Amino acid sequence: MFDRLALIEKTYQEMQDKLMTGRLEVKEMTDLLKEAAALAKTVEVYREYKVKKAELDDLQKLLEMESDPDMVSMAESEIQKLEDFLEKTVETLKILLLPKDPNDEKNVIVEIKGAAGGDEGNIFAGDLFRMYARYAETQGWKIEILNAMEGAMGGFTSIEFMVSGKTVYSFLKYESGVHRVQRVPQTESQGRIHTSTATVLVMPEADDIELDISWNDIRFDTFNSSGPGGQSVNTTKSAVRLTHIPTGIAVACQEGKSQHENKDKAYRLLVTRIYDKFEQEKLEKEGSERRSLVGRGDRSEKIRTYNYPQNRVTDHRIGLTLQRLDVIMEGRLELILEPLINEFQKRQLAGEEV
């Protein structure tokens, strides 16, 4: 491990030296800055480890020569602190050296759909959207709605939105799957608890350079924007539908103020969906690799249950149950995501296929 860390530090320093020359083309400099940033945290922790290790070695040598009881006691106490620090730092370095998901740094496009339960499923889809929006706000991320179809009783039959910010995918990639809610619907006069579901799909935003998509392969259609229940809300054909003929993937957008804006949003959504399709096909070919329960697993799987009467949320992939549903729905999603990430890293360290 330390041989690898030494090599990483050497590579990082060479990158820094090259950047300092000021003789790089813009693209080369941009690529180099990105590569250096990916190594910076690991190098920082490794360098701190080396400093503390040197301090420990010096103290141990001093202890061998020291005879004063007070000095020996002080040295032993400091040695214990340094040993504890180094032990924790080694575990941190192991995690930093784990293989990185190439999509972790990307923005994401999220799709939420009301599923089982009719109107209540749509209302729950709206609740999930608000939860993600509030969590994004706490992280300093930006949300942009790309397309939304409101439910007749509230919420959304479908909503697609982009989340932009730092390492968004590394956190939200765990959210794809079926989310189940148990509660008494507002329309239920007998006070009976109903079970409804909504589906969440999280896709890493595709870079233009990753896919070569020709407009000759895309069918472009326009239509009138619609509101809840499908009624038309304007008389101009500003809403846009794009269909990628080779794959059959179709997307629509009506949230923009103009046809041009909707076309741009729809294209971003289309490219991301095509990229996601290729990624999923790649995962299928790789078999179980990268298909962990806490990774990018079966998207039809029930991953979480939200029980309102008992203020309880359960993530079924890691057996986590919290009696804090109220604060989680207000955006405290890290209460679930941090244990998920920890479990994912634990399985990676144990050498399990994830």
Side-chain angles (χ1 to χ4, degrees), residues 209-266:
I209 59 173
E210 290 174 319
L211 290 174
D212 183 18
I213 297 175
S214 171
W215 275 99
N216 294 328
D217 292 331
I218 299 175
R219 187 172 69 244
F220 172 69
D221 299 302
T222 60
F223 58 97
N224 293 339
S225 299
S226 61
Q231 71 268 30
S232 176
V233 295
N234 64 32
T235 57
T236 61
K237 293 183 180 294
S238 61
V240 167
R241 181 181 295 106
L242 299 181
T243 305
H244 186 240
I245 297 170
T247 61
I249 294 174
V251 301
C253 183
Q254 62 176 14
E255 296 302 305
K257 297 178 181 179
S258 67
Q259 186 183 112
H260 177 76
E261 186 179 344
N262 282 327
K263 184 178 180 182
D264 178 63
K265 289 184 175 183

Side-chain angles (χ1 to χ4, degrees), residues 61-117:
K61 291 176 183 176
L62 178 65
L63 189 61
E64 292 174 2
M65 298 181 292
E66 188 58 61
S67 58
D68 182 274
D70 290 337
M71 291 297 292
V72 168
S73 177
M74 288 177 59
E76 288 177 341
S77 176
E78 190 61 28
I79 285 172
Q80 185 60 54
K81 289 179 184 177
L82 285 168
E83 287 177 341
D84 290 344
F85 173 83
L86 291 174
E87 184 179 346
K88 291 178 183 177
T89 304
V90 166
E91 294 306 310
T92 300
L93 287 167
K94 286 179 180 178
I95 291 173
L96 288 169
L97 288 174
L98 288 173
K100 301 291 190 298
D101 187 327
N103 291 318
D104 276 351
E105 299 294 322
K106 293 183 177 181
N107 301 327
V108 303
I109 289 179
V110 183
E111 174 196 83
I112 306 176
K113 286 186 174 182

Side-chain angles (χ1 to χ4, degrees), residues 8-9 11-12 15 34-44:
I8 288 173
E9 183 185 28
T11 303
Y12 177 79
M15 290 177 179
K34 188 175 181 180
E35 291 174 23
L39 300 179
K41 180 64 176 179
T42 303
V43 172
E44 176 189 344

